[in-house]
Amino acid sequence: MKTLLKTAREKKGFKTREVSRLLKIDQALISKFESGQRTPTKKQVEQLAQLLEIDFEILMTAWLKEKIRQAISGETLGLKALQEIERELNPETATNQAVNQLFEEMEALKTKMEALRNTQSS
């Protein structure tokens, strides 16, 4: 996210001082957003996206990703929790995984049944 913000600001030809004045956000805070030392609020992300003409969906996704990373960083079960959240938010993925697992089990059973049939035929 920090790179998106800095690149967009520079592309627009703005100094951090100008962004600060236009959005009424402290200049030091703008610099910290761009260095990754601080994370803007959701409202600030909306303002920055509009002012710097950054695709809102791209910037918001980067912001959410950063917030999630901060929340689970250093947590040994962070990735597991994230995977469970994904299953909860996207039940179709969980269903597809369950169906795929069933097909794999059916294929394994079929292989075993064929092996049994071959041993009984011999």
Side-chain angles (χ1 to χ4, degrees):
M1 186 169 94
K2 62 184 183 180
T3 305
L4 277 171
L5 292 173
K6 185 172 184 173
T7 302
R9 177 184 57 77
E10 290 173 344
K11 185 177 177 184
K12 295 285 289 178
F14 288 143
K15 303 283 186 200
T16 55
R17 164 177 72 255
E18 293 171 283
V19 174
S20 169
R21 182 181 53 79
L22 291 167
L23 297 182
K24 296 177 177 56
I25 299 172
D26 186 64
Q27 182 179 351
L29 205 49
I30 301 293
S31 295
K32 288 179 180 182
F33 295 161
E34 291 184 3
S35 69
Q37 294 175 329
R38 293 281 303 268
T39 304
T41 65
K42 185 176 181 179
K43 181 181 178 187
Q44 290 167 335
V45 169
E46 292 167 354
Q47 292 173 322
L48 288 160
Q50 186 173 8
L51 176 68
L52 301 176
E53 297 178 5
I54 302 171
D55 181 278
F56 177 73
E57 186 174 322
I58 291 171
L59 189 58
M60 194 63 175
T61 300
W63 178 75
L64 285 167
K65 184 176 117 180
E66 189 59 36
K67 293 201 55 94
I68 292 167
R69 179 180 293 142
Q70 287 173 1
I72 67 170
S73 179
E75 295 291 337
T76 56
L77 298 173
L79 185 56
K80 184 176 180 178
L82 190 57
Q83 290 166 339
E84 288 187 22
I85 289 169
E86 180 184 27
R87 281 192 292 275
E88 287 176 15
L89 293 176
N90 191 0
E92 187 176 297
T93 301
T95 302
N96 288 342
Q97 289 173 344
V99 168
N100 288 337
Q101 185 176 355
L102 282 173
F103 279 121
E104 288 173 14
E105 290 173 10
M106 287 171 60
E107 197 61 40
L109 284 172
K110 180 181 171 188
T111 303
K112 287 179 182 179
M113 300 269 302
E114 287 173 356
L116 277 172
R117 184 181 311 147
N118 290 339
T119 57
Q120 289 177 351
S121 308
S122 309

